Amino acid sequence: MGDTPRSSDKHPRGAHREYARRKGVERDWRKGEGRWRFDGDEESDRPDSESARSAPRKFRMARPANERNALVLQTGGPHVLLLDGEETLRAQARRATTTENGDATLVVIGDRVQYIVSGEGDAIITHVHERRSALMRSSVSTRDFHQVLAANVDLVVVVTAATRELLRPGLIDRYIVSAAMGGMDAAICVNKIDLLDDDDREIIDDLDAMYDAAGYSVVRTSAETGDGIDALSQLVRGRICVFSGHSGVGKTSLINQLIPGLSEKTQELSDQSQRGAHTTTRSTLYPFGDGGWLADTPGIREFGLKHFEATDLHRYYPEFVSVADKCRFASCTHVHEPGCAVIAAVEVEEIHPMRYRNYIQILTSEQGE
Ligand SMILES: Nc1nc2c(ncn2[C@@H]2O[C@H](COP(=O)(O)OP(=O)(O)OP(=O)(O)O)[C@@H](O)[C@H]2O)c(=O)[nH]1
Ligand SMILES: [Mg+2]
Ligand SMILES: [Zn+2]
């Protein structure tokens, strides 16, 4: 037998054997598969093969040796990019990769993962740690498709553009509701203010006041002229922020402005409505400020919300919460119930009618028939 363990106080025989076993597991991972290990009580609880299948909880993926920790910097390309200290690695997940996040998207930007090295600059992701926050969207039509867009984020910067075609308040509300559900703050960035005419300026002023009353920061920017970039920089500095929104609103252009020297590809002006193909296809984290990160993400078309109770939705509308206490029924959904204080507040415009319309739109479309 080739390797005789050296026995000393520092490396007791048992520990060495465990290490040798984990080296074996590491080799399995490199070949493509992890190895299941029985995790129950070895003496009394060992199942026969029948119950092994029916009681898979008692099995854990055996941990390989030499696992290290890293941050997921990029997804959407041929491989996932990891950052460990100063080193970046090209990584792949495996079927055996374990996660603390249930059946949500396995690996997303911002994830903290464990990995093993599988070659020069190459890695295999062995485990994904629990997310403290997650921005998730669902399919609008079926709702059985969920996609996590980013993990461990502090602030969702919902980017919109100050042009009629691209300004979509319904979408903004879906983002900020989803941010609150996932444990993140949200702020709104209205970009392309250089294109504002006087009519549109009124619309933007109103939108600004509406979100301000709801307690959200609104910054107006132009990635073209540089207007408002300082204010945006103040807002995002030192935090982990994800820039998200419809395609073509200028997410990548803004991040290029914020981070000198970065020159990520932006959309060519394809036609006058500025609706082109999606330009950014990968999600990427860029370091910014004191320990902060900015995530650029591909544009999205639709944003469904994961299942929620109809009586809970108003909790994600901060300006509804204090008013809703005065509704006649504790289970009020603020749609048509008699004695609804929210409806009364909308009538006197204490609550902005557009926020209320968005609320109703989300409630009716997401709850289905
Ligand atoms: N006039 C004007 N044009 C802008 C501004 N910001 C971005 N653009 C232009 O709008 C187009 C889209 O910008 P991108 O930064 O690629 O948009 P994006 O949100 O990253 O788009 P996707 O990656 O497809 O999601 C480009 O042609 C930009 O030059 C702005 O503030 N003003
Ligand atoms: Mg982009
Ligand atoms: Zn009510």
Side-chain angles (χ1 to χ4, degrees):
M1 306 285 199
D3 55 356
T4 21
R6 210 161 44 93
S7 60
S8 72
D9 286 350
K10 256 191 182 166
H11 303 284
R13 192 176 288 268
H16 185 91
R17 217 179 278 134
E18 171 64 12
Y19 183 74
R21 191 183 63 74
R22 289 176 50 171
K23 283 301 280 184
V25 173
E26 187 183 328
R27 275 193 297 276
D28 289 348
W29 274 92
R30 290 225 195 89
K31 278 186 247 149
E33 272 311 318
R35 190 191 285 175
W36 293 100
R37 183 167 72 95
F38 182 62
D39 208 41
D41 178 344
E42 301 267 353
E43 294 297 306
S44 59
D45 215 11
R46 184 183 292 276
D48 54 32
S49 57
E50 227 355 73
S51 60
R53 250 177 273 123
S54 60
R57 261 171 225 282
K58 288 195 174 138
F59 290 81
R60 297 264 182 280
M61 194 55 67
R63 305 276 17 126
N66 300 317
E67 275 181 296
R68 304 180 52 125
N69 288 301
L71 169 71
V72 176
L73 282 190
Q74 187 179 73
T75 62
H79 34 243
V80 173
L81 276 190
L82 302 184
L83 180 72
D84 178 3
E86 305 274 280
E87 192 186 2
T88 52
L89 299 113
R90 296 175 298 265
Q92 257 158 6
R94 290 277 196 256
R95 211 159 61 88
T97 302
T98 51
T99 174
E100 292 166 39
N101 304 296
D103 56 8
T105 316
L106 184 61
V107 179
V108 303
I109 47 163
D111 265 328
R112 301 278 168 180
V113 299
Q114 280 166 229
Y115 73 93
I116 55 169
V117 173
S118 59
E120 180 77 33
D122 288 313
I124 293 166
I125 298 170
T126 53
H127 183 71
V128 184
H129 288 290
E130 188 180 359
R131 296 165 182 153
R132 72 178 158 80
S133 68
L135 181 64
M136 184 159 93
R137 69 163 178 157
S138 307
S139 147
V140 168
S141 44
T142 64
R143 253 182 296 132
D144 55 7
F145 162 79
H146 302 292
Q147 181 191 23
V148 178
L149 301 170
N152 303 319
V153 166
D154 302 317
L155 178 73
V156 178
V157 181
V158 186
V159 184
T160 182
T163 56
R164 267 170 224 262
E165 316 80 59
L166 289 172
L167 188 77
R168 307 200 342 177
L171 185 65
I172 299 175
D173 271 31
R174 283 167 180 273
Y175 266 108
I176 57 188
V177 167
S178 181
M181 285 176 170
M184 292 151 280
D185 288 338
I188 295 136
C189 174
V190 182
N191 188 37
K192 304 199 185 187
I193 50 162
D194 55 294
L195 300 178
L196 265 189
D197 61 30
D198 285 341
D199 283 354
D200 286 351
R201 192 176 307 278
E202 235 169 75
I203 297 173
I204 300 300
D205 285 346
D206 190 34
L207 188 96
D208 198 331
M210 172 172 97
Y211 285 112
D212 191 61
Y216 297 99
S217 302
V218 181
V219 277
R220 301 183 192 197
T221 57
S222 168
E224 195 72 22
T225 66
D227 268 358
I229 299 297
D230 283 347
L232 181 62
S233 175
Q234 289 294 322
L235 180 74
V236 298
R237 184 167 295 278
R239 305 167 86 181
I240 305 175
C241 304
V242 58
F243 283 53
S244 197
H246 201 268
S247 185
V249 293
K251 299 177 292 296
T252 305
S253 306
L254 288 167
I255 290 176
N256 280 339
Q257 281 279 338
L258 286 165
I259 305 176
L262 190 77
S263 53
E264 287 298 322
K265 198 162 170 259
T266 57
Q267 193 171 298
E268 304 287 333
L269 279 182
S270 52
D271 57 48
Q272 286 190 324
S273 73
Q274 301 195 356
R275 286 175 189 234
H278 293 232
T279 306
T280 306
T281 55
R282 299 176 186 184
S283 294
T284 310
L285 275 179
Y286 302 99
F288 182 73
D290 328 299
W293 294 88
L294 303 182
D296 192 10
T297 61
I300 57 129
R301 282 214 172 77
E302 53 167 30
F303 200 108
L305 293 166
K306 69 171 188 212
H307 182 77
F308 56 84
E309 296 298 326
T311 49
D312 279 348
L313 181 61
H314 78 264
R315 292 181 206 284
Y316 305 108
Y317 277 75
E319 75 274 41
F320 289 22
V321 172
S322 54
V323 178
D325 283 348
K326 300 184 205 95
C327 292
R328 187 177 304 161
F329 304 109
S331 62
C332 191
T333 59
H334 326 297
V335 181
H336 46 57
E337 291 89 340
C340 174
V342 170
I343 296 175
V346 175
E347 274 161 10
V348 298
E349 299 203 8
E350 217 176 279
I351 287 175
H352 199 292
M354 192 195 277
R355 284 277 282 172
Y356 183 67
R357 272 202 303 281
N358 292 343
Y359 168 87
I360 295 292
Q361 205 279 331
I362 291 175
L363 194 68
T364 50
S365 66
E366 298 289 337
Q367 292 307 110
E369 287 82 57

